[in-house]
PDB file of all heavy atoms in Angstrom:
ATOM      1  N   ILE F   1     104.862  80.438  58.512  1.00 73.00           N
ATOM      2  CA  ILE F   1     105.313  79.686  59.672  1.00 73.00           C
ATOM      3  C   ILE F   1     106.512  80.374  60.406  1.00 73.00           C
ATOM      4  O   ILE F   1     106.651  80.401  61.651  1.00 73.00           O
ATOM      5  CB  ILE F   1     105.694  78.206  59.203  1.00 73.00           C
ATOM      6  CG1 ILE F   1     104.445  77.406  58.739  1.00 73.00           C
ATOM      7  CG2 ILE F   1     106.466  77.375  60.272  1.00 73.00           C
ATOM      8  CD1 ILE F   1     104.634  76.200  58.094  1.00 73.00           C
ATOM      9  N   LEU F   2     107.527  80.804  59.555  1.00 68.00           N
ATOM     10  CA  LEU F   2     108.671  81.427  60.218  1.00 68.00           C
ATOM     11  C   LEU F   2     108.328  82.748  60.856  1.00 68.00           C
ATOM     12  O   LEU F   2     108.816  83.071  61.999  1.00 68.00           O
ATOM     13  CB  LEU F   2     109.729  81.738  59.125  1.00 68.00           C
ATOM     14  CG  LEU F   2     110.468  80.530  58.575  1.00 68.00           C
ATOM     15  CD1 LEU F   2     111.411  80.954  57.464  1.00 68.00           C
ATOM     16  CD2 LEU F   2     111.157  79.857  59.713  1.00 68.00           C
ATOM     17  N   PHE F   3     107.326  83.474  60.369  1.00 67.00           N
ATOM     18  CA  PHE F   3     106.835  84.756  60.984  1.00 67.00           C
ATOM     19  C   PHE F   3     106.201  84.538  62.330  1.00 67.00           C
ATOM     20  O   PHE F   3     106.428  85.132  63.359  1.00 67.00           O
ATOM     21  CB  PHE F   3     105.897  85.441  60.022  1.00 67.00           C
ATOM     22  CG  PHE F   3     105.344  86.714  60.581  1.00 67.00           C
ATOM     23  CD1 PHE F   3     106.152  87.851  60.632  1.00 67.00           C
ATOM     24  CD2 PHE F   3     104.085  86.784  61.134  1.00 67.00           C
ATOM     25  CE1 PHE F   3     105.663  89.031  61.261  1.00 67.00           C
ATOM     26  CE2 PHE F   3     103.556  87.935  61.671  1.00 67.00           C
ATOM     27  CZ  PHE F   3     104.324  89.057  61.629  1.00 67.00           C
ATOM     28  N   LEU F   4     105.353  83.450  62.374  1.00 61.00           N
ATOM     29  CA  LEU F   4     104.696  83.080  63.621  1.00 61.00           C
ATOM     30  C   LEU F   4     105.646  82.548  64.605  1.00 61.00           C
ATOM     31  O   LEU F   4     105.519  82.840  65.865  1.00 61.00           O
ATOM     32  CB  LEU F   4     103.538  82.101  63.357  1.00 61.00           C
ATOM     33  CG  LEU F   4     102.416  82.562  62.511  1.00 61.00           C
ATOM     34  CD1 LEU F   4     101.440  81.423  62.201  1.00 61.00           C
ATOM     35  CD2 LEU F   4     101.717  83.715  63.369  1.00 61.00           C
ATOM     36  N   ALA F   5     106.638  81.846  64.119  1.00 61.00           N
ATOM     37  CA  ALA F   5     107.648  81.263  65.132  1.00 61.00           C
ATOM     38  C   ALA F   5     108.466  82.351  65.818  1.00 61.00           C
ATOM     39  O   ALA F   5     108.808  82.299  67.007  1.00 61.00           O
ATOM     40  CB  ALA F   5     108.449  80.255  64.499  1.00 61.00           C
ATOM     41  N   PHE F   6     108.871  83.368  64.867  1.00 61.00           N
ATOM     42  CA  PHE F   6     109.708  84.537  65.445  1.00 61.00           C
ATOM     43  C   PHE F   6     108.769  85.359  66.441  1.00 61.00           C
ATOM     44  O   PHE F   6     109.350  85.794  67.448  1.00 61.00           O
ATOM     45  CB  PHE F   6     110.038  85.324  64.142  1.00 61.00           C
ATOM     46  CG  PHE F   6     110.850  86.557  64.721  1.00 61.00           C
ATOM     47  CD1 PHE F   6     112.161  86.410  65.166  1.00 61.00           C
ATOM     48  CD2 PHE F   6     110.309  87.777  64.568  1.00 61.00           C
ATOM     49  CE1 PHE F   6     112.873  87.542  65.545  1.00 61.00           C
ATOM     50  CE2 PHE F   6     110.947  88.889  65.009  1.00 61.00           C
ATOM     51  CZ  PHE F   6     112.298  88.734  65.491  1.00 61.00           C
ATOM     52  N   ASN F   7     107.571  85.664  66.064  1.00 57.00           N
ATOM     53  CA  ASN F   7     106.762  86.501  66.934  1.00 57.00           C
ATOM     54  C   ASN F   7     106.436  85.847  68.205  1.00 57.00           C
ATOM     55  O   ASN F   7     106.212  86.492  69.305  1.00 57.00           O
ATOM     56  CB  ASN F   7     105.588  87.048  66.188  1.00 57.00           C
ATOM     57  CG  ASN F   7     105.782  88.217  65.328  1.00 57.00           C
ATOM     58  OD1 ASN F   7     106.852  88.777  65.397  1.00 57.00           O
ATOM     59  ND2 ASN F   7     104.935  88.379  64.400  1.00 57.00           N
ATOM     60  N   SER F   8     106.245  84.535  68.268  1.00 51.00           N
ATOM     61  CA  SER F   8     105.801  83.795  69.483  1.00 51.00           C
ATOM     62  C   SER F   8     106.979  83.859  70.568  1.00 51.00           C
ATOM     63  O   SER F   8     106.804  83.710  71.690  1.00 51.00           O
ATOM     64  CB  SER F   8     105.421  82.489  69.197  1.00 51.00           C
ATOM     65  OG  SER F   8     106.378  81.695  68.696  1.00 51.00           O
ATOM     66  N   SER F   9     108.268  83.997  70.069  1.00 54.00           N
ATOM     67  CA  SER F   9     109.356  84.063  70.938  1.00 54.00           C
ATOM     68  C   SER F   9     109.630  85.376  71.605  1.00 54.00           C
ATOM     69  O   SER F   9     110.352  85.489  72.640  1.00 54.00           O
ATOM     70  CB  SER F   9     110.706  83.693  70.208  1.00 54.00           C
ATOM     71  OG  SER F   9     110.920  84.647  69.294  1.00 54.00           O
ATOM     72  N   ALA F  10     108.891  86.440  71.178  1.00 66.00           N
ATOM     73  CA  ALA F  10     109.034  87.794  71.765  1.00 66.00           C
ATOM     74  C   ALA F  10     108.246  87.742  73.136  1.00 66.00           C
ATOM     75  O   ALA F  10     107.236  87.155  73.275  1.00 66.00           O
ATOM     76  CB  ALA F  10     108.413  88.811  70.848  1.00 66.00           C
ATOM     77  N   ALA F  11     108.954  88.364  74.026  1.00 73.00           N
ATOM     78  CA  ALA F  11     108.216  88.473  75.403  1.00 73.00           C
ATOM     79  C   ALA F  11     107.027  89.293  75.445  1.00 73.00           C
ATOM     80  O   ALA F  11     107.048  90.401  74.782  1.00 73.00           O
ATOM     81  CB  ALA F  11     109.257  89.026  76.409  1.00 73.00           C
ATOM     82  N   PRO F  12     105.939  88.832  76.056  1.00 85.00           N
ATOM     83  CA  PRO F  12     104.721  89.640  76.102  1.00 85.00           C
ATOM     84  C   PRO F  12     104.753  90.767  77.121  1.00 85.00           C
ATOM     85  O   PRO F  12     105.536  90.735  78.051  1.00 85.00           O
ATOM     86  CB  PRO F  12     103.629  88.665  76.617  1.00 85.00           C
ATOM     87  CG  PRO F  12     104.470  87.607  77.408  1.00 85.00           C
ATOM     88  CD  PRO F  12     105.805  87.476  76.740  1.00 85.00           C
ATOM     89  N   ILE F  13     103.904  91.746  76.898  1.00 88.00           N
ATOM     90  CA  ILE F  13     103.789  92.844  77.903  1.00 88.00           C
ATOM     91  C   ILE F  13     103.171  92.426  78.988  1.00 88.00           C
ATOM     92  O   ILE F  13     102.075  91.753  79.019  1.00 88.00           O
ATOM     93  CB  ILE F  13     103.184  94.053  77.184  1.00 88.00           C
ATOM     94  CG1 ILE F  13     104.049  94.625  76.051  1.00 88.00           C
ATOM     95  CG2 ILE F  13     102.837  95.017  78.205  1.00 88.00           C
ATOM     96  CD1 ILE F  13     103.371  95.815  75.418  1.00 88.00           C
ATOM     97  N   GLN F  14     103.760  92.603  80.197  1.00 92.00           N
ATOM     98  CA  GLN F  14     103.184  92.123  81.470  1.00 92.00           C
ATOM     99  C   GLN F  14     102.786  93.366  82.348  1.00 92.00           C
ATOM    100  O   GLN F  14     103.289  94.489  82.121  1.00 92.00           O
ATOM    101  CB  GLN F  14     104.194  91.359  82.194  1.00 92.00           C
ATOM    102  CG  GLN F  14     104.727  90.093  81.436  1.00 92.00           C
ATOM    103  CD  GLN F  14     105.777  89.313  82.160  1.00 92.00           C
ATOM    104  OE1 GLN F  14     105.732  89.141  83.356  1.00 92.00           O
ATOM    105  NE2 GLN F  14     106.817  88.953  81.371  1.00 92.00           N
ATOM    106  N   ARG F  15     101.975  93.126  83.371  1.00 93.00           N
ATOM    107  CA  ARG F  15     101.555  94.137  84.282  1.00 93.00           C
ATOM    108  C   ARG F  15     101.900  93.757  85.723  1.00 93.00           C
ATOM    109  O   ARG F  15     102.104  92.534  86.101  1.00 93.00           O
ATOM    110  CB  ARG F  15     100.086  94.246  84.305  1.00 93.00           C
ATOM    111  CG  ARG F  15      99.374  94.514  83.010  1.00 93.00           C
ATOM    112  CD  ARG F  15      97.901  94.330  83.207  1.00 93.00           C
ATOM    113  NE  ARG F  15      97.276  94.939  82.040  1.00 93.00           N
ATOM    114  CZ  ARG F  15      96.272  95.801  82.189  1.00 93.00           C
ATOM    115  NH1 ARG F  15      95.851  96.215  83.302  1.00 93.00           N
ATOM    116  NH2 ARG F  15      95.814  96.261  81.053  1.00 93.00           N
ATOM    117  N   ILE F  16     102.197  94.730  86.538  1.00 94.00           N
ATOM    118  CA  ILE F  16     102.624  94.706  87.871  1.00 94.00           C
ATOM    119  C   ILE F  16     102.124  95.842  88.676  1.00 94.00           C
ATOM    120  O   ILE F  16     102.197  96.998  88.150  1.00 94.00           O
ATOM    121  CB  ILE F  16     104.104  94.353  88.219  1.00 94.00           C
ATOM    122  CG1 ILE F  16     104.294  93.945  89.726  1.00 94.00           C
ATOM    123  CG2 ILE F  16     104.999  95.586  87.748  1.00 94.00           C
ATOM    124  CD1 ILE F  16     105.635  93.281  89.822  1.00 94.00           C
ATOM    125  N   GLN F  17     101.562  95.652  89.843  1.00 95.00           N
ATOM    126  CA  GLN F  17     101.027  96.801  90.669  1.00 95.00           C
ATOM    127  C   GLN F  17     101.774  96.890  91.980  1.00 95.00           C
ATOM    128  O   GLN F  17     102.015  95.767  92.585  1.00 95.00           O
ATOM    129  CB  GLN F  17      99.519  96.531  90.890  1.00 95.00           C
ATOM    130  CG  GLN F  17      98.915  97.756  91.468  1.00 95.00           C
ATOM    131  CD  GLN F  17      97.270  97.542  91.505  1.00 95.00           C
ATOM    132  OE1 GLN F  17      96.755  97.032  90.484  1.00 95.00           O
ATOM    133  NE2 GLN F  17      96.745  97.958  92.625  1.00 95.00           N
ATOM    134  N   GLY F  18     102.178  98.071  92.396  1.00 94.00           N
ATOM    135  CA  GLY F  18     102.801  98.106  93.640  1.00 94.00           C
ATOM    136  C   GLY F  18     103.174  99.586  94.030  1.00 94.00           C
ATOM    137  O   GLY F  18     102.696 100.467  93.373  1.00 94.00           O
ATOM    138  N   THR F  19     104.060  99.660  94.955  1.00 94.00           N
ATOM    139  CA  THR F  19     104.464 100.940  95.492  1.00 94.00           C
ATOM    140  C   THR F  19     105.968 101.235  95.178  1.00 94.00           C
ATOM    141  O   THR F  19     106.744 100.326  95.298  1.00 94.00           O
ATOM    142  CB  THR F  19     104.371 100.976  97.037  1.00 94.00           C
ATOM    143  OG1 THR F  19     102.897 100.810  97.369  1.00 94.00           O
ATOM    144  CG2 THR F  19     104.675 102.508  97.556  1.00 94.00           C
ATOM    145  N   ILE F  20     106.318 102.391  94.646  1.00 93.00           N
ATOM    146  CA  ILE F  20     107.637 102.756  94.352  1.00 93.00           C
ATOM    147  C   ILE F  20     108.518 102.947  95.576  1.00 93.00           C
ATOM    148  O   ILE F  20     108.055 103.687  96.491  1.00 93.00           O
ATOM    149  CB  ILE F  20     107.682 103.959  93.471  1.00 93.00           C
ATOM    150  CG1 ILE F  20     107.000 103.793  92.206  1.00 93.00           C
ATOM    151  CG2 ILE F  20     109.140 104.338  93.308  1.00 93.00           C
ATOM    152  CD1 ILE F  20     106.796 105.064  91.309  1.00 93.00           C
ATOM    153  N   LEU F  21     109.580 102.173  95.681  1.00 93.00           N
ATOM    154  CA  LEU F  21     110.501 102.266  96.903  1.00 93.00           C
ATOM    155  C   LEU F  21     111.555 103.233  96.636  1.00 93.00           C
ATOM    156  O   LEU F  21     112.047 103.816  97.562  1.00 93.00           O
ATOM    157  CB  LEU F  21     111.051 100.760  97.298  1.00 93.00           C
ATOM    158  CG  LEU F  21     110.063  99.789  97.680  1.00 93.00           C
ATOM    159  CD1 LEU F  21     110.828  98.500  97.908  1.00 93.00           C
ATOM    160  CD2 LEU F  21     109.257 100.234  98.859  1.00 93.00           C
ATOM    161  N   GLU F  22     112.081 103.253  95.351  1.00 92.00           N
ATOM    162  CA  GLU F  22     113.247 104.049  95.081  1.00 92.00           C
ATOM    163  C   GLU F  22     113.212 104.481  93.652  1.00 92.00           C
ATOM    164  O   GLU F  22     112.785 103.589  92.811  1.00 92.00           O
ATOM    165  CB  GLU F  22     114.588 103.375  95.411  1.00 92.00           C
ATOM    166  CG  GLU F  22     115.752 104.035  95.159  1.00 92.00           C
ATOM    167  CD  GLU F  22     117.110 103.260  95.478  1.00 92.00           C
ATOM    168  OE1 GLU F  22     117.002 102.320  96.089  1.00 92.00           O
ATOM    169  OE2 GLU F  22     118.175 103.735  94.925  1.00 92.00           O
ATOM    170  N   VAL F  23     113.670 105.640  93.328  1.00 90.00           N
ATOM    171  CA  VAL F  23     113.672 106.107  91.836  1.00 90.00           C
ATOM    172  C   VAL F  23     115.170 106.590  91.744  1.00 90.00           C
ATOM    173  O   VAL F  23     115.616 107.460  92.528  1.00 90.00           O
ATOM    174  CB  VAL F  23     112.695 107.191  91.577  1.00 90.00           C
ATOM    175  CG1 VAL F  23     112.836 107.753  90.105  1.00 90.00           C
ATOM    176  CG2 VAL F  23     111.291 106.824  91.824  1.00 90.00           C
ATOM    177  N   GLY F  24     115.890 106.125  90.742  1.00 89.00           N
ATOM    178  CA  GLY F  24     117.197 106.632  90.375  1.00 89.00           C
ATOM    179  C   GLY F  24     117.280 107.008  88.940  1.00 89.00           C
ATOM    180  O   GLY F  24     116.390 107.063  88.273  1.00 89.00           O
ATOM    181  N   GLU F  25     118.463 107.291  88.556  1.00 89.00           N
ATOM    182  CA  GLU F  25     118.715 107.777  87.196  1.00 89.00           C
ATOM    183  C   GLU F  25     118.624 106.406  86.262  1.00 89.00           C
ATOM    184  O   GLU F  25     119.578 105.709  86.271  1.00 89.00           O
ATOM    185  CB  GLU F  25     120.045 108.401  87.037  1.00 89.00           C
ATOM    186  CG  GLU F  25     120.318 109.053  85.707  1.00 89.00           C
ATOM    187  CD  GLU F  25     121.497 109.891  85.574  1.00 89.00           C
ATOM    188  OE1 GLU F  25     121.793 110.415  86.564  1.00 89.00           O
ATOM    189  OE2 GLU F  25     122.119 109.909  84.577  1.00 89.00           O
ATOM    190  N   GLY F  26     117.416 106.449  85.607  1.00 88.00           N
ATOM    191  CA  GLY F  26     117.240 105.380  84.610  1.00 88.00           C
ATOM    192  C   GLY F  26     116.748 103.963  85.256  1.00 88.00           C
ATOM    193  O   GLY F  26     116.660 102.920  84.470  1.00 88.00           O
ATOM    194  N   PHE F  27     116.313 103.934  86.549  1.00 92.00           N
ATOM    195  CA  PHE F  27     115.705 102.792  87.077  1.00 92.00           C
ATOM    196  C   PHE F  27     114.692 103.189  88.105  1.00 92.00           C
ATOM    197  O   PHE F  27     114.625 104.280  88.632  1.00 92.00           O
ATOM    198  CB  PHE F  27     116.795 101.870  87.666  1.00 92.00           C
ATOM    199  CG  PHE F  27     117.448 102.374  88.913  1.00 92.00           C
ATOM    200  CD1 PHE F  27     116.824 102.034  90.179  1.00 92.00           C
ATOM    201  CD2 PHE F  27     118.378 103.194  88.946  1.00 92.00           C
ATOM    202  CE1 PHE F  27     117.346 102.441  91.404  1.00 92.00           C
ATOM    203  CE2 PHE F  27     118.963 103.755  90.059  1.00 92.00           C
ATOM    204  CZ  PHE F  27     118.346 103.360  91.341  1.00 92.00           C
ATOM    205  N   LEU F  28     113.921 102.203  88.456  1.00 91.00           N
ATOM    206  CA  LEU F  28     112.823 102.361  89.432  1.00 91.00           C
ATOM    207  C   LEU F  28     112.818 100.977  90.226  1.00 91.00           C
ATOM    208  O   LEU F  28     112.810  99.975  89.603  1.00 91.00           O
ATOM    209  CB  LEU F  28     111.598 102.775  88.717  1.00 91.00           C
ATOM    210  CG  LEU F  28     110.298 102.876  89.412  1.00 91.00           C
ATOM    211  CD1 LEU F  28     109.535 103.998  88.757  1.00 91.00           C
ATOM    212  CD2 LEU F  28     109.465 101.529  89.452  1.00 91.00           C
ATOM    213  N   ILE F  29     112.580 101.062  91.611  1.00 94.00           N
ATOM    214  CA  ILE F  29     112.484  99.857  92.344  1.00 94.00           C
ATOM    215  C   ILE F  29     111.081  99.786  92.875  1.00 94.00           C
ATOM    216  O   ILE F  29     110.623 100.703  93.541  1.00 94.00           O
ATOM    217  CB  ILE F  29     113.559  99.673  93.419  1.00 94.00           C
ATOM    218  CG1 ILE F  29     115.014  99.574  92.816  1.00 94.00           C
ATOM    219  CG2 ILE F  29     113.220  98.416  94.406  1.00 94.00           C
ATOM    220  CD1 ILE F  29     116.095  99.476  93.805  1.00 94.00           C
ATOM    221  N   LEU F  30     110.411  98.653  92.696  1.00 94.00           N
ATOM    222  CA  LEU F  30     108.935  98.542  92.964  1.00 94.00           C
ATOM    223  C   LEU F  30     108.675  97.435  94.068  1.00 94.00           C
ATOM    224  O   LEU F  30     109.261  96.349  93.839  1.00 94.00           O
ATOM    225  CB  LEU F  30     108.111  98.367  91.790  1.00 94.00           C
ATOM    226  CG  LEU F  30     106.626  98.308  91.969  1.00 94.00           C
ATOM    227  CD1 LEU F  30     106.063  99.633  91.864  1.00 94.00           C
ATOM    228  CD2 LEU F  30     105.955  97.449  90.808  1.00 94.00           C
ATOM    229  N   SER F  31     107.880  97.726  95.042  1.00 93.00           N
ATOM    230  CA  SER F  31     107.451  96.562  95.922  1.00 93.00           C
ATOM    231  C   SER F  31     106.050  96.265  95.469  1.00 93.00           C
ATOM    232  O   SER F  31     105.107  96.972  95.724  1.00 93.00           O
ATOM    233  CB  SER F  31     107.440  97.164  97.380  1.00 93.00           C
ATOM    234  OG  SER F  31     106.826  96.350  98.174  1.00 93.00           O
ATOM    235  N   PRO F  32     105.962  95.014  94.910  1.00 94.00           N
ATOM    236  CA  PRO F  32     104.581  94.541  94.422  1.00 94.00           C
ATOM    237  C   PRO F  32     103.577  94.362  95.519  1.00 94.00           C
ATOM    238  O   PRO F  32     103.841  94.009  96.694  1.00 94.00           O
ATOM    239  CB  PRO F  32     104.893  93.240  93.765  1.00 94.00           C
ATOM    240  CG  PRO F  32     106.473  93.247  93.494  1.00 94.00           C
ATOM    241  CD  PRO F  32     107.034  94.118  94.576  1.00 94.00           C
ATOM    242  N   ASP F  33     102.329  94.508  95.100  1.00 92.00           N
ATOM    243  CA  ASP F  33     101.231  94.354  96.067  1.00 92.00           C
ATOM    244  C   ASP F  33     101.055  92.849  96.467  1.00 92.00           C
ATOM    245  O   ASP F  33     100.533  92.571  97.483  1.00 92.00           O
ATOM    246  CB  ASP F  33      99.901  94.866  95.409  1.00 92.00           C
ATOM    247  CG  ASP F  33      99.857  96.340  95.416  1.00 92.00           C
ATOM    248  OD1 ASP F  33     100.642  96.996  96.033  1.00 92.00           O
ATOM    249  OD2 ASP F  33      98.924  96.826  94.755  1.00 92.00           O
ATOM    250  N   ASP F  34     101.496  92.034  95.651  1.00 90.00           N
ATOM    251  CA  ASP F  34     101.370  90.508  95.915  1.00 90.00           C
ATOM    252  C   ASP F  34     102.488  90.028  96.893  1.00 90.00           C
ATOM    253  O   ASP F  34     102.573  88.708  96.966  1.00 90.00           O
ATOM    254  CB  ASP F  34     101.195  89.702  94.651  1.00 90.00           C
ATOM    255  CG  ASP F  34     102.626  89.849  93.835  1.00 90.00           C
ATOM    256  OD1 ASP F  34     103.548  90.515  94.362  1.00 90.00           O
ATOM    257  OD2 ASP F  34     102.644  89.197  92.696  1.00 90.00           O
ATOM    258  N   LYS F  35     103.117  90.846  97.510  1.00 87.00           N
ATOM    259  CA  LYS F  35     104.036  90.456  98.491  1.00 87.00           C
ATOM    260  C   LYS F  35     105.291  89.599  97.967  1.00 87.00           C
ATOM    261  O   LYS F  35     106.048  88.978  98.758  1.00 87.00           O
ATOM    262  CB  LYS F  35     103.501  89.668  99.692  1.00 87.00           C
ATOM    263  CG  LYS F  35     102.325  90.425 100.398  1.00 87.00           C
ATOM    264  CD  LYS F  35     102.739  91.742 100.975  1.00 87.00           C
ATOM    265  CE  LYS F  35     101.529  92.314 101.543  1.00 87.00           C
ATOM    266  NZ  LYS F  35     101.571  93.669 101.734  1.00 87.00           N
ATOM    267  N   SER F  36     105.485  89.652  96.702  1.00 90.00           N
ATOM    268  CA  SER F  36     106.659  89.027  96.101  1.00 90.00           C
ATOM    269  C   SER F  36     107.884  90.029  96.355  1.00 90.00           C
ATOM    270  O   SER F  36     107.653  91.119  96.685  1.00 90.00           O
ATOM    271  CB  SER F  36     106.462  88.722  94.692  1.00 90.00           C
ATOM    272  OG  SER F  36     106.172  90.005  93.924  1.00 90.00           O
ATOM    273  N   PRO F  37     109.068  89.540  96.110  1.00 93.00           N
ATOM    274  CA  PRO F  37     110.277  90.369  96.406  1.00 93.00           C
ATOM    275  C   PRO F  37     110.244  91.637  95.515  1.00 93.00           C
ATOM    276  O   PRO F  37     109.714  91.629  94.373  1.00 93.00           O
ATOM    277  CB  PRO F  37     111.503  89.603  95.995  1.00 93.00           C
ATOM    278  CG  PRO F  37     110.932  88.120  95.965  1.00 93.00           C
ATOM    279  CD  PRO F  37     109.583  88.183  95.682  1.00 93.00           C
ATOM    280  N   SER F  38     110.950  92.705  95.947  1.00 93.00           N
ATOM    281  CA  SER F  38     110.955  93.950  95.258  1.00 93.00           C
ATOM    282  C   SER F  38     111.755  93.634  93.867  1.00 93.00           C
ATOM    283  O   SER F  38     112.545  92.882  93.837  1.00 93.00           O
ATOM    284  CB  SER F  38     111.835  94.892  95.913  1.00 93.00           C
ATOM    285  OG  SER F  38     111.167  95.290  97.235  1.00 93.00           O
ATOM    286  N   ARG F  39     111.350  94.525  92.818  1.00 92.00           N
ATOM    287  CA  ARG F  39     111.899  94.324  91.538  1.00 92.00           C
ATOM    288  C   ARG F  39     112.533  95.638  91.013  1.00 92.00           C
ATOM    289  O   ARG F  39     111.877  96.684  91.409  1.00 92.00           O
ATOM    290  CB  ARG F  39     110.821  93.858  90.559  1.00 92.00           C
ATOM    291  CG  ARG F  39     110.368  92.505  90.778  1.00 92.00           C
ATOM    292  CD  ARG F  39     109.771  91.826  89.594  1.00 92.00           C
ATOM    293  NE  ARG F  39     110.576  91.951  88.365  1.00 92.00           N
ATOM    294  CZ  ARG F  39     110.161  91.417  87.278  1.00 92.00           C
ATOM    295  NH1 ARG F  39     109.010  91.005  87.010  1.00 92.00           N
ATOM    296  NH2 ARG F  39     110.960  91.523  86.236  1.00 92.00           N
ATOM    297  N   LYS F  40     113.496  95.489  90.279  1.00 94.00           N
ATOM    298  CA  LYS F  40     114.060  96.759  89.596  1.00 94.00           C
ATOM    299  C   LYS F  40     113.586  96.822  88.200  1.00 94.00           C
ATOM    300  O   LYS F  40     113.680  95.673  87.428  1.00 94.00           O
ATOM    301  CB  LYS F  40     115.650  96.570  89.722  1.00 94.00           C
ATOM    302  CG  LYS F  40     116.367  97.833  89.085  1.00 94.00           C
ATOM    303  CD  LYS F  40     117.845  97.734  89.324  1.00 94.00           C
ATOM    304  CE  LYS F  40     118.527  98.844  88.730  1.00 94.00           C
ATOM    305  NZ  LYS F  40     120.001  98.792  88.986  1.00 94.00           N
ATOM    306  N   PHE F  41     113.250  97.990  87.745  1.00 93.00           N
ATOM    307  CA  PHE F  41     112.729  98.172  86.382  1.00 93.00           C
ATOM    308  C   PHE F  41     113.590  99.284  85.779  1.00 93.00           C
ATOM    309  O   PHE F  41     113.952 100.250  86.427  1.00 93.00           O
ATOM    310  CB  PHE F  41     111.255  98.585  86.393  1.00 93.00           C
ATOM    311  CG  PHE F  41     110.365  97.482  86.859  1.00 93.00           C
ATOM    312  CD1 PHE F  41     109.984  97.530  88.187  1.00 93.00           C
ATOM    313  CD2 PHE F  41     109.806  96.642  85.976  1.00 93.00           C
ATOM    314  CE1 PHE F  41     109.100  96.547  88.582  1.00 93.00           C
ATOM    315  CE2 PHE F  41     108.942  95.682  86.385  1.00 93.00           C
ATOM    316  CZ  PHE F  41     108.650  95.580  87.804  1.00 93.00           C
ATOM    317  N   LEU F  42     113.779  99.148  84.382  1.00 92.00           N
ATOM    318  CA  LEU F  42     114.622 100.116  83.686  1.00 92.00           C
ATOM    319  C   LEU F  42     113.764 101.177  83.020  1.00 92.00           C
ATOM    320  O   LEU F  42     112.651 100.855  82.452  1.00 92.00           O
ATOM    321  CB  LEU F  42     115.375  99.481  82.572  1.00 92.00           C
ATOM    322  CG  LEU F  42     116.417  98.348  83.132  1.00 92.00           C
ATOM    323  CD1 LEU F  42     117.029  97.663  81.993  1.00 92.00           C
ATOM    324  CD2 LEU F  42     117.412  98.928  84.045  1.00 92.00           C
TER     325      LEU F  42
END
């Protein structure tokens, strides 16, 4: 029960598709295809 409770709180791996707007040292900014706001990724 404790093992299942701990693992369910971990964030799932997600997918996003889009075009790279900027690449910097240690980060990347992406413009998603679904027209949502740009996101910064580490």
Side-chain angles (χ1 to χ4, degrees):
I1 290 171
L2 290 175
F3 179 77
L4 292 174
F6 176 74
N7 279 343
S8 66
S9 67
I13 292 180
Q14 300 177 44
R15 298 170 169 233
I16 189 167
Q17 186 172 323
T19 304
I20 297 174
L21 296 179
E22 183 180 344
V23 179
E25 190 171 325
F27 74 93
L28 177 144
I29 296 178
L30 184 85
S31 173
D33 287 346
D34 63 2
K35 306 298 182 205
S36 58
S38 298
R39 290 199 57 184
K40 182 176 182 178
F41 294 92
L42 302 174

